[in-house]
Amino acid sequence: RVEVKESGGGSVPAGGSLKLTCEVSGYSSRSYCMGWVRQVGRRAREGIAAIDTDGRTVYAENMKDRFTISEDNAKNTLYLEMTNLKPEDTANYICAADAKCTQIVERAAGMDYWGVGTLVTVSS
């Protein structure tokens, strides 16, 4: 059974930092492009970043400056480091896997696997 589980969310003041973790089980994360999207309420999800099967990273254009995606293949774990957080970054951050990174970063929808997310709240 494939499972993707996020953790690391919480409440931080504006300007703060957080590091999110995504634990992947049931398959090798190297089999898919792995990445992060976020969602505010019922709004459409927004792609953030992804790592492809060769370890190359891809970011949504407006996410490059403050977000860093990384992985630990030995642990089948994906990370998202976020710095200088702003109130508009408040969202549910969701880990996802798909055969194509564009599905995660550009479409942020219809992904093969995704978790329930971890909530990040940034106060002003």
Side-chain angles (χ1 to χ4, degrees):
R1 179 181 177 181
V2 175
E3 290 189 355
V4 177
K5 183 178 180 181
E6 307 91 338
S7 62
S11 297
V12 295
S17 301
L18 277 176
K19 184 175 183 178
L20 307 182
T21 299
C22 172
E23 298 177 14
V24 181
S25 61
Y27 68 96
S28 169
S29 62
R30 265 290 163 243
S31 303
Y32 290 86
C33 175
M34 299 293 303
W36 293 90
V37 302
R38 67 184 184 184
Q39 186 174 27
V40 179
R42 291 181 177 272
R43 297 180 189 173
R45 292 173 177 172
E46 180 180 24
I48 301 173
I51 296 180
D52 70 14
T53 54
D54 292 322
R56 292 172 298 200
T57 58
V58 56
Y59 291 87
E61 188 61 33
N62 61 334
M63 302 290 182
K64 291 180 179 179
D65 293 336
R66 301 181 295 114
F67 294 81
T68 303
I69 191 171
S70 61
E71 63 180 349
D72 184 334
N73 291 328
K75 296 181 179 179
N76 257 13
T77 301
L78 187 73
Y79 304 100
L80 182 69
E81 293 186 81
M82 308 182 293
T83 62
N84 191 23
L85 284 164
K86 304 175 181 180
E88 52 264 41
D89 293 318
T90 294
N92 190 36
Y93 284 73
I94 302 165
C95 179
D98 197 272
K100 297 181 180 180
C101 286
T102 52
Q103 197 75 6
I104 298 172
V105 177
E106 296 180 13
R107 294 196 62 195
M111 300 159 296
D112 291 335
Y113 303 102
W114 63 93
V116 298
T118 183
L119 184 62
V120 172
T121 303
V122 184
S123 58
S124 57

